[in-house]
Amino acid sequence: MKYVSEYRDRSAAEEYAERIQQLASREWTIMEVCGGQTHSILKYGIDQLLSEKISLIHGPGCPVCVTPIELIDQAIEIAGIEDVILCSFGDMLRVPGSVKDLMGVRASGGDIRIVYSPIDAVKIAEQNPMKQIVFFGVGFETTAPVTAASIIQADHLNLDNFYMLVSHVLVPPAMQAVLSNPECRVQGFLAAGHVCSIMGYIEYESIVSEYNVPIVVTGFEPLDILEGIHMCLKQLEEGRAEVENQYTRSVKRNGNPEAIDMIREVFEVIDRKWRGIGAIPASGLGLREKYSKFDAAERFGVSGYTVEESGDCISGQVLTGEKKPDECTAFGGKCTPEHPLGALMVSSEGACAAYYRYRLTRSNR
Amino acid sequence: MISNESCPIPLSDYPEVTMAHGGGGKLMHDLISRMMYRVFSNPILDAQHDGAVLRTDGRRIAFSTDSHVITPLFFPGGDIGYLSVYGTVNDLAMCGAKPEWLSASFILEEGLPMETLWRVVQSMGEAAERTGVSIVTGDTKVVERGKGDGIYINTAGVGIIPEGVDISPSRVREGDSVILSGDIGRHGIAIMAIREGIDFQTVIQSDLAPLDKIVSELLEVDLDIHCMRDLTRGGLASGLNEIASAGKVSINIRESLIPIRDDVLGACEILGFDPLYVANEGRFVVILPEKNAEKVVDILHKHENSRQATIIGHVAEASYADVIMESSIGAERIVDMMSGEQLPRIC
């Protein structure tokens, strides 16, 4: 298949692995930021091809995983209100709140619909004028433009029954949070290609100089990741710290200006809490005053939650690369996709889910 | 006393049934083994075959049942009528039986257009004729509007297992070849595309097909087939996991050998689905000694529906996982049983 199979070619992968092997003169630790990349690494076994000198650690790039538990609880409360239709991406349904998940709310009669785009939620609002439609807006910069477009469209249509529970987060502040951690072992980054398709990589230029760390914008296919690692390693070996772009078939330096304009029209940058990590300044998007009438938390009066997480879950340490999922005592036993303690075990981009799905052996069940 | 036992799925786990309990993955298997197997346990059920194999007067018969709940009722490549007949026919064929008699139970929703019902019944008639089965008994109930999804159909079927045929996961042996009858993932993606209104440029047809003729042709030759399984809900991954677990072996496969159409793969990429877990309705795996594997592939290639049949791997001694796949780039990956159901991802 074009644009897929050529990036999964075995001999090319082996050639890159060999080049990496030859180039690595010492041990290096590289973080892939995005959970989609983590899943590719585990699914295709990219780490098995790599030189032992290269350690990959998995980053915080899973929007489902970092959505605060308070927001999940808010969504659950809203979904339980009569006449509300809660629209969500499929990934969110199995993420544990403090007591239950959205799948459970649906089983108890809540009207929760899986949509592929927030625009579908706007359509549902048009078709159901007697119902209150709430879209659970979760994601990084990748999905922010279409979330913004749905607000603009709802505004244009004068809809008074469409709301959004916003939990959008931004990647660069999270990378800075990782780098600011005194325990940080990360020496180079593979930045998330999809996020950069929207935002470009200008934002990373100040990070490389401030922290002296190479960043390579990288795609998601096995060969993308191997090439990204090779580029990052070359910088490390040569003592350089620059922003480089491996994912040239999708990413330009200044991103997609129309999409960025749309985000800026609807959202402003705000401080946001990340599940497992804590509050990160200027790391999220919130609705601008102009569009505050679409704010579901305000409309349904569900803000102001604070919830304690399960003490057995080490999501925070996994999200910041301090620990790997299989180093958690609950992994595969107390915590499974059927009975998750944290979001990382159920999200399609969660590192724990990747380890469970592709690496769980009979012995660690 | 069974009636005094507490519920084997504690309230703290899942107080209510969720959609994932019917997804063909681990949650569904848990539910079946912790509730149904526990209460109904007997040697025939415990064999965990696609259908029950019964002995009567020295003859062996296969008995199987399947309920069909599908939206939309009509889809590219078939409809609920064909599906309800072929589903049970295929389950019987997987036991090595020649399907003979079916029952058909309808649960109809008030307001269902009579014309729709007529089309479905005609499809069932045609499917029965094509596979040589007789629908010999049935039942019809109507539920109030809003309490059903148009039509639910349950079929149960009985087939006769020829002398000398012995097919069961327990017969799978180290060194056996694993043959897949064709490309995977078409039914699931065809349904998903319509249900969610996703336009993939080409219309993806379901692979829905009866397997009775192919199977009976395979059984006419002395091939010593150890096990067969049709790959429905939960896809290839679940089918292989079930066999490996019931047969107490490991199954090793190679990703590069598994046929998947470009449009199906493209749709899976967009939705974030793994095609190994996507449903099929006309695909099956055959496991048998390696020396006979090529003969099976040759026979399968003569049939339109299985022209892409190929050996995708082999059975190995039980190791660290039930199913292990060599990925397209040559590394190893565990192919686990799916947890609940695949949900479309965010980005």
Side-chain angles (χ1 to χ4, degrees):
Chain A
M1 182 182 165
K2 205 158 163 50
Y3 302 122
V4 174
S5 45
E6 60 265 55
Y7 294 99
R8 295 176 186 174
D9 180 75
R10 183 172 181 161
S11 58
E14 284 166 350
E15 199 184 311
Y16 265 118
E18 178 58 32
R19 278 198 227 166
I20 290 166
Q21 177 77 38
Q22 286 175 5
L23 189 59
S25 68
R26 48 159 285 195
E27 290 184 357
W28 296 106
T29 301
I30 297 171
M31 173 180 273
E32 83 280 357
V33 171
C34 176
Q37 293 166 331
T38 306
H39 271 255
S40 275
I41 289 164
L42 275 292
K43 181 174 175 183
Y44 294 98
I46 296 168
D47 53 334
Q48 297 168 36
L49 299 188
L50 283 182
S51 156
E52 281 176 8
K53 294 188 180 121
I54 309 292
S55 319
L56 291 179
I57 55 176
H58 319 307
C62 165
V64 171
C65 303
V66 301
T67 299
I69 192 164
E70 290 85 356
L71 265 151
I72 312 276
D73 284 352
Q74 288 178 18
I76 287 168
E77 189 182 330
I78 291 172
I81 297 171
E82 218 183 314
D83 288 334
V84 164
I85 301 174
L86 185 89
C87 299
S88 171
F89 293 128
D91 286 43
M92 292 306 297
L93 266 61
R94 305 233 13 252
V95 177
S98 53
V99 183
K100 51 185 168 181
D101 60 20
L102 286 167
M103 194 77 97
V105 179
R106 189 160 85 167
S108 321
D111 192 346
I112 299 174
R113 303 191 190 173
I114 296 175
V115 292
Y116 298 89
S117 158
I119 303 291
D120 296 340
V122 175
K123 276 186 211 146
I124 293 173
E126 273 189 279
Q127 290 158 0
N128 296 275
M130 305 306 284
K131 300 267 187 179
Q132 313 286 309
I133 283 59
V134 178
F135 178 71
F136 196 3
V138 174
F140 283 117
E141 294 92 328
T142 328
T143 46
V146 66
T147 310
S150 72
I151 292 282
I152 293 169
Q153 196 181 10
D155 194 42
H156 180 73
L157 293 168
N158 282 320
L159 292 180
D160 58 2
N161 66 333
F162 178 79
Y163 304 94
M164 189 172 293
L165 189 60
V166 184
S167 181
H168 266 284
V169 280
L170 303 170
V171 168
M175 288 164 71
Q176 283 171 297
V178 167
L179 289 166
S180 308
N181 183 343
E183 307 285 312
C184 174
R185 293 178 290 139
V186 178
Q187 292 164 300
F189 280 107
L190 307 184
H194 290 160
V195 168
C196 297
S197 301
I198 304 295
M199 302 304 292
Y201 50 84
I202 297 170
E203 294 173 283
Y204 300 112
E205 289 166 1
S206 59
I207 301 178
V208 292
S209 51
E210 189 182 340
Y211 295 92
N212 192 35
V213 58
I215 298 178
V216 179
V217 177
T218 304
F220 297 82
E221 293 297 330
L223 285 191
D224 287 325
I225 292 170
L226 283 163
E227 189 180 19
I229 292 169
H230 183 258
M231 288 167 75
C232 193
L233 176 64
K234 198 154 185 296
Q235 287 200 49
L236 288 166
E237 289 286 347
E238 292 170 3
R240 288 183 291 126
E242 295 162 18
V243 182
E244 290 180 326
N245 182 13
Q246 179 278 327
Y247 204 33
T248 49
R249 66 182 185 280
S250 175
V251 175
K252 287 188 267 195
R253 181 172 177 268
N254 59 348
N256 178 338
E258 289 85 4
I260 295 172
D261 285 349
M262 215 178 278
I263 297 173
R264 290 198 180 133
E265 162 66 22
V266 173
F267 296 116
E268 59 189 357
V269 175
I270 58 167
D271 299 344
R272 200 170 268 292
K273 187 178 164 188
W274 291 52
R275 188 172 193 173
I277 299 178
I280 304 178
S283 69
L285 296 174
L287 287 168
R288 286 190 186 279
E289 182 60 39
K290 187 178 165 188
Y291 295 106
S292 61
K293 63 178 173 184
F294 295 108
D295 188 341
E298 237 170 66
R299 162 69 180 81
F300 297 98
V302 291
S303 49
Y305 277 70
T306 40
V307 181
E308 287 300 314
E309 294 271 1
S310 158
D312 293 321
C313 178
I314 61 160
S315 297
Q317 286 162 291
V318 175
L319 284 166
T320 50
E322 285 167 61
K323 287 207 170 145
K324 297 223 165 166
D326 52 3
E327 292 173 54
C328 175
T329 52
F331 178 78
K334 222 170 155 183
C335 183
T336 63
E338 295 77 41
H339 300 102
L341 292 180
L344 274 75
M345 190 48 103
V346 286
S347 166
S348 61
E349 295 183 297
C352 300
Y355 272 70
Y356 190 91
R357 191 183 302 168
Y358 306 122
R359 293 289 156 86
L360 185 83
T361 58
R362 279 174 170 152
S363 60
N364 55 14
R365 257 167 226 218
Chain B
M1 281 276 289
I2 286 167
S3 57
N4 284 343
E5 277 191 50
S6 59
C7 176
I9 296 183
L11 222 60
S12 58
D13 273 18
Y14 283 93
E16 283 154 338
V17 172
T18 70
M19 288 306 290
H21 286 106
K26 238 182 258 166
L27 272 183
M28 190 181 92
H29 283 88
D30 258 16
L31 180 82
I32 294 171
S33 62
R34 286 162 77 179
M35 274 203 188
M36 285 70 166
Y37 281 168
R38 179 164 160 189
V39 177
F40 305 148
S41 175
N42 61 65
I44 300 168
L45 180 69
D46 297 347
Q48 298 186 28
H49 210 335
D50 263 349
V53 176
L54 316 170
R55 280 169 204 281
T56 167
D57 286 343
R59 293 178 82 180
R60 283 173 312 144
I61 59 172
F63 176 40
S64 186
T65 183
D66 208 341
S67 295
H68 300 272
V69 293
I70 188 165
T71 315
L73 298 173
F74 301 89
F75 50 85
D79 61 41
I80 191 172
Y82 288 107
L83 191 64
S84 66
V85 172
Y86 292 159
T88 294
V89 161
N90 291 351
D91 280 346
L92 294 171
M94 292 301 114
C95 302
K98 181 180 182 315
E100 296 282 357
W101 305 284
L102 254 57
S103 71
S105 289
F106 297 87
I107 297 173
L108 309 175
E109 185 185 357
E110 179 186 25
L112 175 80
M114 208 50 91
E115 190 58 35
T116 305
L117 181 58
W118 176 233
R119 274 177 71 191
V120 170
V121 170
Q122 280 181 307
S123 297
M124 291 176 77
E126 195 184 310
E129 199 182 310
R130 251 191 236 172
T131 52
V133 295
S134 309
I135 298 175
V136 292
T137 182
D139 180 50
T140 305
K141 297 279 190 306
V142 178
V143 294
E144 282 170 47
R145 191 188 286 269
K147 298 208 166 154
D149 214 352
I151 310 180
Y152 299 144
I153 304 175
N154 171 276
T155 55
V158 172
I160 294 170
I161 302 173
E163 198 80 15
V165 172
D166 182 12
I167 288 171
S168 153
S170 63
R171 289 199 62 221
V172 167
R173 293 288 174 270
E174 198 183 324
D176 281 0
S177 291
V178 179
I179 297 165
L180 172 62
S181 73
D183 66 307
I184 58 168
R186 263 199 273 150
H187 179 74
I189 295 298
I191 297 300
M192 195 76 189
I194 302 198
R195 199 184 290 169
E196 308 299 342
I198 303 169
D199 185 5
F200 292 122
Q201 290 166 350
T202 52
V203 175
I204 296 170
Q205 302 265 332
S206 166
D207 63 328
L208 176 63
L211 300 172
D212 58 313
K213 300 250 172 352
I214 301 178
V215 168
S216 79
E217 205 173 312
L218 290 176
L219 296 178
E220 276 165 22
V221 191
D222 184 21
L223 295 165
D224 190 23
I225 291 174
H226 288 165
C227 185
M228 292 186 287
R229 181 136 319 198
D230 61 340
L231 308 171
T232 53
R233 258 180 318 178
L236 176 64
S238 299
L240 294 180
N241 267 283
E242 285 165 12
I243 296 170
S245 154
K248 298 183 177 62
V249 293
S250 284
I251 293 179
N252 296 349
I253 55 171
R254 281 170 76 173
E255 185 172 23
S256 57
L257 299 176
I258 299 168
I260 304 174
R261 277 165 46 137
D262 270 0
D263 49 6
V264 171
L265 186 60
C268 285
E269 291 292 325
I270 292 168
L271 295 166
F273 285 179
D274 187 335
L276 296 177
Y277 296 90
V278 177
N280 310 275
E281 286 295 344
R283 293 287 168 261
F284 67 114
V285 290
V286 185
I287 298 182
L288 82 172
E290 190 188 357
K291 63 175 168 45
N292 294 334
E294 286 298 342
K295 285 182 215 159
V296 168
V297 172
D298 288 344
I299 295 169
L300 290 173
H301 281 176
K302 284 188 223 150
H303 291 260
E304 182 62 39
N305 183 42
S306 50
R307 291 225 196 281
Q308 281 185 283
T310 183
I311 300 168
I312 58 164
H314 65 275
V315 176
E317 193 189 342
S319 69
Y320 64 92
D322 288 342
V323 181
I324 300 163
M325 181 166 82
E326 185 192 280
S327 78
S328 52
I329 62 166
E332 252 180 29
R333 157 192 169 186
I334 293 172
V335 178
D336 197 15
M337 179 81 88
M338 188 169 55
S339 171
E341 51 180 344
Q342 294 201 95
L343 296 172
R345 66 170 167 207
I346 285 190
C347 65

